Amino acid sequence: MPNIDRRDFIKLVGAGGVGVGAGVVLRESIKHPREHLIPHVLAPEDYSSGVATWYNSVCSMCSAGCGISVRTREGRAKKIEGNPSHAVNQGRLCALGQAGLQVLYNPDRLTGPLLQSADRGADGFTQITWEDGLTRVASQLDVLRAAGRGNRIALLTRGVGGHLAELLESFAEGVGTNRLFHYDYAHPHALYAANERFFGEQQLPYYDLSNTRHLLSFGADYLAGWLSPVHHSLGFANSRHGGDNRGYFVQIEPRMSPSGAAADEWVPAKPGTEGILALGLAHHIVASGHYDGDDIDEWKGVLSPYTLENVAEETDVSESVLRRLAESFANASPSLAIGGDGAANNSNGVDTLVAINALNYLAGNVGTAGGVVFNPNPAGATSHDHQANYRTLAQLATSARNGDIDVLILNDANPVFTMPIASEFKAALARIPFIVSLSSFMDETSALANVVLPSHSYLESWGDAFPEHGVGFSIGAVSQPVIAPLYDTKATGDIVLDLARRTGNPMPWDSLEDCIKDGWNKIYQQNTSDTQTDSFESFWTALLKAGVWGEKNHRSNDSFRPNASAIANIGVDVPVFSGDAEVYPFVLQPFLSTMHDGRAANLPWMQELPDVMTSVVYGSWVEMNPKTAENLGLAEGDLVDIESTEGSVRAPILVYPAIRPDVIAMPIGQGHSNYGRYASNRGTNPLEILSPLVDESSGNLASNATRVKVVATGKHIEIVKTSGKSRDLGRDIVQTTGDSDHTAQTNSIPIMVIPT
């Protein structure tokens, strides 16, 4: 219990209406910062004692762009729910979205500007004023801009869309740099590249799970992490409730994901062969007469090597299963094939996803409800045009090592955590003379900054979003502050606008709110015929109340046909893996966890949320097939070192029946060295030991292409789980399709307090 003297205790008890229990004393004594029990002199807007107020906004915990409704009471945010009017999530919200309150009230939030007073990375920060911090940063930028050396400035931000993305682009142009990068570890670079190659589209289509009757998912964990999981969960549920016409779902992946567990059938193909399997199904569809287009001869030519016999040998899936999958997929109407990280993050990822697109085309799924539906152009900016892949960040690191970058501005991006050690990204940042971070939390990358200018949380700031994954028609939403800022922070857009003014390149807005409002005025002017309001002000008020805007502008998709070169270039090479298979016999598959890509590891609600498949909390683990564990003489809880050609990490074994014997899997998200009290020094980060293999077609890291070996340490721990047995106890609840052969870490768990 915190130290509290008798005088403070009496003050608390005598405050009136507070209560005298020990829990109250504890809560009041640990508030951060300290709060005084006095009435409001100037009450917050819409303040009404004892009455809740709801604000509609946008969730920023991932890139899906779900709409949220936030309940506030007496100037405090109390609960986050889904906005029923938003087409993406339709009133639902995932656990990560619910945990947004712990971003707002996290005791490790940065409360004001900081200056590094020791060696960078030594956490020797001291508090400074905003005037001092902004002046220091602006002077660095102004010197380079005035000398015509603006391209020695780089901006690296987490992926943001809407008018903040346009603001960042204008700022970069104003200081004279083209080094503006949006970076998200889980951004689907391969999917964008595959769709552009096959469909000629530079944006993602809408995958209509809701109306499909047969889904083939190639490594896409659509219920937990792929693109827009809340929306896909709604589509999955709707297809499942089709009565006599209930949808049938097949998951093809080496390690069973939550989507695989919910599917009707799980097919454990060899890692990296998913695209070969897709072309095998395509070959059967064409050869058996299910496709009769006038370009059939071209398809027969490119698909001729992918007979079911050849594909069965490559994928380790029997001919009979392949034939059945092809027939059921071709005969169902409508059907849909999708590809996600499990298939895309290999050395042949783009080719694999192109093969899946081809399978959809040959089955007649393109441009139909329940299949692949092209989205119209978004009404506002998205982040993809500036999204940095692994190759881009590697080039940025090379430029830093060569002394070509003098200033780096970071905005809520943490590449030091998500980039492999082999990239030497952290060492490259050390060569940049001046780094400024706009992040709300200290993390592994922000710790290397000279100056930290902390941003508001998304619940305190203006913003907007135009979801890239879409819903088949244009939608957008405004993110508005639901409470007054808790600390001495500023909105990211306001920081950028201030720096622009100080460097002699003022923009036509006084605040981020003005920028967003001006942008929506342009949308209003372009769509006046579709609005039912008399003025922009009434439109703006209605938009803030509803929290979402939509335009029923569906595209016509019936005329699509791939060009001859797209067909001629179809083919999937055998996947490439790092390391000698004799020395490193297992393929490592890192997967997104409840902590997403690590950004949510500092939220105790997410730490306490049991993993869907294993029920593990507060730690890392290594999933291993029971036969593999038996052959190695290992049991659940045995600590092992997972070694690749690039290094090793240590974690306990978790015996997991639903994984191929030649594959081991580890969750991404833990293993932080500097990310607050809830995340630091907890678990391990499997991304550290990945080999720097790249899918040449997308430029992204082939994170599923690293071979590893398992080395026992002779130590054992008890894994912290919320369930009892991980074995099926004879219930036969884990069933596979294919050959029969494929049939904790802490004594102290801190607690976060949410104001009540």
Side-chain angles (χ1 to χ4, degrees):
M1 179 174 178
N3 293 328
I4 181 168
D5 61 26
R6 180 174 178 274
R7 184 185 302 271
D8 289 334
F9 179 80
I10 292 173
K11 286 181 181 179
L12 288 169
V13 174
V18 177
V20 297
V24 174
V25 176
L26 175 62
R27 184 180 71 237
E28 295 298 329
S29 64
I30 64 174
K31 281 186 175 179
H32 177 70
R34 183 171 182 173
E35 298 180 1
H36 301 280
L37 298 175
I38 59 175
H40 286 288
V41 177
L42 294 175
E45 184 181 357
D46 296 335
Y47 174 90
S48 182
S49 180
V51 177
T53 303
W54 290 85
Y55 292 93
N56 287 324
S57 191
V58 181
C59 181
S60 297
M61 301 298 284
C62 78
S63 62
C66 293
I68 56 175
S69 296
V70 185
R71 181 170 67 88
T72 67
R73 185 170 173 177
E74 299 172 2
R76 291 281 193 171
K78 301 291 186 178
K79 188 71 171 72
I80 303 177
E81 296 289 356
N83 181 356
S85 300
H86 203 290
V88 170
N89 55 315
Q90 302 167 37
R92 279 71 169 183
L93 197 64
C94 70
L96 183 59
Q98 298 267 356
L101 284 179
Q102 294 200 321
V103 174
L104 178 65
Y105 295 119
N106 197 302
D108 295 321
R109 271 189 68 185
L110 301 177
T111 59
L114 300 172
L115 175 67
Q116 180 65 266
S117 56
D119 293 337
R120 290 197 324 204
D123 283 343
F125 288 100
T126 57
Q127 292 278 352
I128 57 174
T129 65
W130 274 99
E131 179 62 28
D132 186 10
L134 289 167
T135 300
R136 289 174 182 270
V137 176
S139 63
Q140 295 281 340
L141 300 176
D142 202 30
V143 167
L144 295 173
R145 184 193 64 82
R149 305 175 70 192
N151 212 41
R152 299 180 71 84
I153 302 169
L155 288 79
L156 181 60
T157 176
R158 181 188 291 184
V160 297
H163 292 93
L164 179 57
E166 294 179 346
L167 188 63
L168 291 172
E169 190 167 352
S170 297
F171 176 76
E173 183 179 350
V175 297
T177 183
N178 59 11
R179 287 185 165 128
L180 169 60
F181 309 110
H182 294 245
Y183 172 69
D184 295 277
Y185 169 79
H187 186 76
H189 292 281
L191 190 58
Y192 276 96
N195 287 335
E196 185 170 4
R197 183 194 297 179
F198 189 78
F199 294 128
E201 293 279 326
Q202 294 185 345
Q203 63 190 55
L204 295 182
Y206 174 54
Y207 299 99
D208 189 6
L209 271 67
S210 181
N211 293 303
T212 195
R213 302 272 61 84
H214 193 290
L215 179 78
L216 284 180
S217 172
F218 295 82
D221 190 7
Y222 51 88
L223 296 181
W226 184 67
L227 299 185
S228 188
V230 176
H231 187 75
H232 294 322
S233 296
L234 291 167
F236 172 81
N238 186 69
S239 181
R240 285 285 203 171
H241 294 159
D244 295 337
N245 199 24
R246 173 184 178 276
Y248 189 82
F249 289 73
V250 179
Q251 190 78 6
I252 302 169
E253 57 191 0
R255 175 254 175 196
M256 181 182 283
S257 64
S259 300
D264 298 280
E265 190 172 352
W266 178 59
V267 182
K270 283 183 181 178
T273 66
E274 294 87 352
I276 297 172
L277 194 154
L279 292 183
L281 303 185
H283 177 278
H284 181 80
I285 288 173
V286 171
S288 58
H290 291 292
Y291 177 75
D292 58 0
D294 56 10
D295 54 358
I296 190 171
D297 290 336
E298 289 90 334
W299 285 106
K300 286 182 177 180
V302 298
L303 295 175
S304 59
Y306 299 95
T307 64
L308 293 187
E309 180 182 5
N310 292 340
V311 170
E313 183 177 354
E314 291 286 348
T315 63
D316 206 17
V317 179
S318 67
E319 280 189 61
S320 61
V321 170
L322 295 172
R323 184 174 293 102
R324 176 172 53 79
L325 291 177
E327 287 290 333
S328 58
F329 187 74
N331 290 325
S333 181
S335 57
L336 174 64
I338 59 177
D341 294 349
N345 292 347
N346 289 294
S347 62
N348 56 8
V350 173
D351 291 341
T352 291
L353 298 181
V354 169
I356 294 168
N357 285 339
L359 182 60
N360 277 317
Y361 172 74
L362 294 171
N365 300 333
V366 178
T368 62
V372 179
V373 180
F374 294 125
N375 279 309
N377 293 326
T382 61
S383 67
H384 178 67
D385 288 345
H386 292 281
Q387 270 284 345
N389 54 34
Y390 179 84
R391 180 184 292 147
T392 304
L393 284 191
Q395 291 169 349
L396 178 66
T398 299
S399 297
R401 281 191 289 269
N402 292 338
D404 296 332
I405 299 176
D406 290 333
V407 176
L408 172 65
I409 300 176
L410 295 163
N411 176 44
D412 209 19
N414 190 13
V416 171
F417 178 78
T418 54
M419 292 283 282
I421 291 178
S423 69
E424 299 182 342
F425 195 83
K426 182 178 180 180
L429 293 188
R431 302 292 301 275
I432 299 177
F434 190 83
I435 299 176
V436 55
S437 172
L438 311 184
S439 298
S440 301
F441 295 92
M442 190 61 64
D443 57 31
E444 289 83 357
T445 309
S446 293
L448 303 176
N450 299 83
V451 175
V452 179
L453 304 176
S455 297
H456 291 336
S457 74
Y458 71 98
L459 295 175
E460 301 165 308
S461 182
W462 288 94
D464 56 1
F466 303 88
E468 294 185 56
H469 315 128
V471 293
F473 56 88
S474 293
I475 58 171
V478 173
S479 176
Q480 59 180 316
V482 302
I483 66 168
L486 296 179
Y487 307 121
D488 187 19
T489 57
K490 292 181 181 291
T492 301
D494 289 336
I495 298 172
V496 171
L497 286 169
D498 198 318
L499 291 174
R501 285 190 290 269
R502 291 169 183 262
T503 53
N505 185 46
M507 298 187 196
W509 309 287
D510 293 329
S511 66
L512 177 60
E513 178 184 0
D514 292 340
C515 173
I516 291 172
K517 194 171 181 179
D518 183 54
W520 277 94
N521 191 10
K522 295 175 182 176
I523 294 175
Y524 168 78
Q525 297 296 336
Q526 294 169 358
N527 296 274
T528 51
S529 60
D530 298 329
T531 61
Q532 299 178 3
T533 55
D534 297 328
S535 67
F536 170 70
E537 288 301 327
S538 57
F539 167 78
W540 177 251
T541 300
L543 174 62
L544 295 183
K545 287 182 178 179
V548 66
W549 166 87
E551 182 185 13
K552 295 290 185 178
N553 54 348
H554 298 276
R555 281 178 53 182
S556 175
N557 302 289
D558 297 334
S559 61
F560 171 76
R561 174 176 172 171
N563 59 45
S565 63
I567 299 175
N569 290 324
I570 285 176
V572 179
D573 292 332
V574 174
V576 176
F577 299 94
S578 68
D580 186 342
E582 294 294 325
V583 180
Y584 302 97
F586 305 105
V587 175
L588 174 64
Q589 293 231 327
F591 60 91
L592 295 179
S593 69
T594 54
M595 267 67 74
H596 198 61
D597 57 1
R599 69 183 64 180
N602 66 335
L603 309 179
W605 282 355
M606 302 311 296
Q607 289 280 359
E608 290 187 350
L609 182 68
D611 176 72
V612 175
M613 299 302 294
T614 65
S615 80
V616 177
V617 295
Y618 279 104
S620 299
W621 63 93
V622 180
E623 294 175 359
M624 180 178 290
N625 185 280
K627 289 185 177 180
T628 305
E630 182 181 358
N631 292 338
L632 295 176
L634 297 171
E636 188 165 296
D638 287 349
L639 277 173
V640 296
D641 288 331
I642 306 301
E643 297 184 3
S644 73
T645 58
E646 308 299 334
S648 69
V649 294
R650 179 170 295 185
I653 290 292
L654 189 141
V655 177
Y656 190 71
I659 190 170
R660 286 179 55 91
D662 53 355
V663 174
I664 64 171
M666 294 185 68
I668 301 168
Q670 301 281 25
H672 286 276
S673 61
N674 191 347
Y675 197 32
R677 69 195 70 184
Y678 305 108
S680 296
N681 304 315
R682 187 182 304 283
T684 56
N685 180 11
L687 301 180
E688 293 180 358
I689 64 171
L690 296 184
S691 299
L693 288 178
V694 173
D695 177 1
E696 294 300 327
S697 297
S698 70
N700 208 33
L701 181 69
S703 57
N704 292 342
T706 299
R707 287 191 171 277
V708 296
K709 62 181 177 181
V710 179
V711 180
T713 66
K715 299 178 180 179
H716 182 90
I717 66 170
E718 290 298 322
I719 300 177
V720 182
K721 296 193 293 183
T722 60
S723 66
K725 301 289 186 181
S726 62
R727 295 177 290 112
D728 63 10
L729 301 176
R731 292 173 292 168
D732 199 25
I733 58 175
V734 177
Q735 301 180 27
T736 65
T737 297
D739 296 341
S740 59
D741 289 343
H742 301 307
T743 49
Q745 289 75 273
T746 181
N747 294 322
S748 174
I749 300 177
I751 300 172
M752 179 187 293
V753 178
I754 294 294
T756 58

